[in-house]
């Protein structure tokens, strides 16, 4: 049935989707105007790039209030149904795991300062002076809000240069 949806069938589907106690009081011209509006919106969405569609989907979920439940609700449903009696505790620990990390530069050897500044410039959008000022303010967070994989890669590079680095 869904493969046969045409612009003319949208008002019919709308009346079928309402409960029997509500009536669709749109006139034919109002219905056509709304159908044209929906077609225009659909065409605009389809013309977006993949990245823009992803951002649009996130925005729509946010605007519709689906973000209020967070990622743990979906995780609880799937983990809770698959496991036994102890699966609730496992789901809570999984939801409590940290997903976003900050890389904090604790200290470094003075001999490797220039190399550390170059490395900090490599994974940030800072200029030479800004990166130098940042490195000189140790202990300081040099990169915020990144995934664990990115954070570990940055930590490994900085540790190879002789810096003391931690995750927050």
């Amino acid at each position: 049935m869904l493969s046969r949806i045409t612009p003319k069938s949208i008002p019919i589907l709308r009346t079928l989707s309402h409960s029997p106690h509500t009536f669709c009081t749109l006139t034919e011209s109002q219905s056509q105007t709304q159908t044209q509006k929906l077609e225009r919106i659909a065409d605009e969405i389809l013309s977006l790039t993949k990245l823009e569609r992803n951002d649009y989907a996130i925005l729509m979920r946010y605007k519709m209030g689906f973000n209020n439940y967070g990622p743990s609700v979906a995780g609880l449903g799937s983990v809770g149904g698959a496991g036994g009696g102890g699966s609730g505790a496992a789901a809570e620990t999984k939801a409590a795991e940290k997903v976003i990390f900050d890389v904090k530069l604790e200290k470094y050897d003075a001999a490797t300062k220039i190399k550390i500044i170059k490395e900090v410039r490599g994974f940030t959008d800072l200029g030479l002076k800004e990166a130098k000022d940042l490195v000189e303010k140790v202990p300081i967070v040099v990169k915020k809000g990144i995934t664990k994989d990115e954070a570990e890669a940055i930590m490994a590079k900085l540790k190879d240069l002789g810096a003391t680095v931690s995750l927050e």
Side-chain angles (χ1 to χ4, degrees):
M1 174 77 184
L2 291 179
S3 63
R4 297 182 191 165
I5 294 178
T6 63
K8 291 182 179 181
S9 65
I10 292 174
I12 296 168
L13 292 173
R14 186 182 307 122
T15 57
L16 292 175
S17 67
H18 290 295
S19 69
H21 302 295
T22 60
F23 297 100
C24 188
T25 59
L26 295 176
T27 65
E28 186 67 31
S29 64
Q30 289 174 332
S31 178
Q32 287 177 351
T33 306
Q34 285 185 347
T35 302
Q36 290 171 350
K37 180 180 177 183
L38 293 175
E39 284 182 23
R40 182 185 50 81
I41 292 170
D43 289 339
E44 287 180 18
I45 291 172
L46 290 174
S47 70
L48 296 174
T49 65
K50 194 173 190 179
L51 184 61
E52 291 170 332
R53 281 192 303 251
N54 182 44
D55 292 343
Y56 178 74
I58 292 168
L59 178 65
M60 284 302 291
R61 284 191 294 258
Y62 177 77
K63 294 249 182 198
M64 295 175 76
F66 293 134
N67 66 323
N68 294 341
Y69 303 108
S72 61
V73 171
L76 289 176
S78 62
V79 173
S87 65
E92 288 178 19
T93 57
K94 187 174 184 177
E97 288 181 14
K98 194 169 182 180
V99 179
I100 298 175
F101 295 90
D102 299 336
V103 177
K104 185 175 185 179
L105 180 63
E106 300 287 339
K107 61 182 178 178
Y108 59 89
D109 292 332
T112 60
K113 179 179 176 180
I114 295 172
K115 292 179 182 179
I116 292 174
I117 291 171
K118 287 181 181 179
E119 191 61 42
V120 168
R121 285 189 68 205
F123 61 80
T124 62
D125 294 331
L126 299 175
L128 182 60
K129 182 174 179 357
E130 292 86 2
K132 179 181 178 276
D133 293 341
L134 183 72
V135 169
E136 289 176 344
K137 293 180 184 177
V138 292
I140 192 163
V141 175
V142 292
K143 188 75 174 181
K144 293 182 181 181
I146 56 175
T147 64
K148 187 173 185 176
D149 295 334
E150 289 177 287
E152 288 175 349
I154 291 170
M155 280 182 58
K157 289 178 184 177
L158 291 174
K159 283 183 179 181
D160 289 344
L161 295 174
T164 305
V165 186
S166 66
L167 283 181
E168 291 187 346

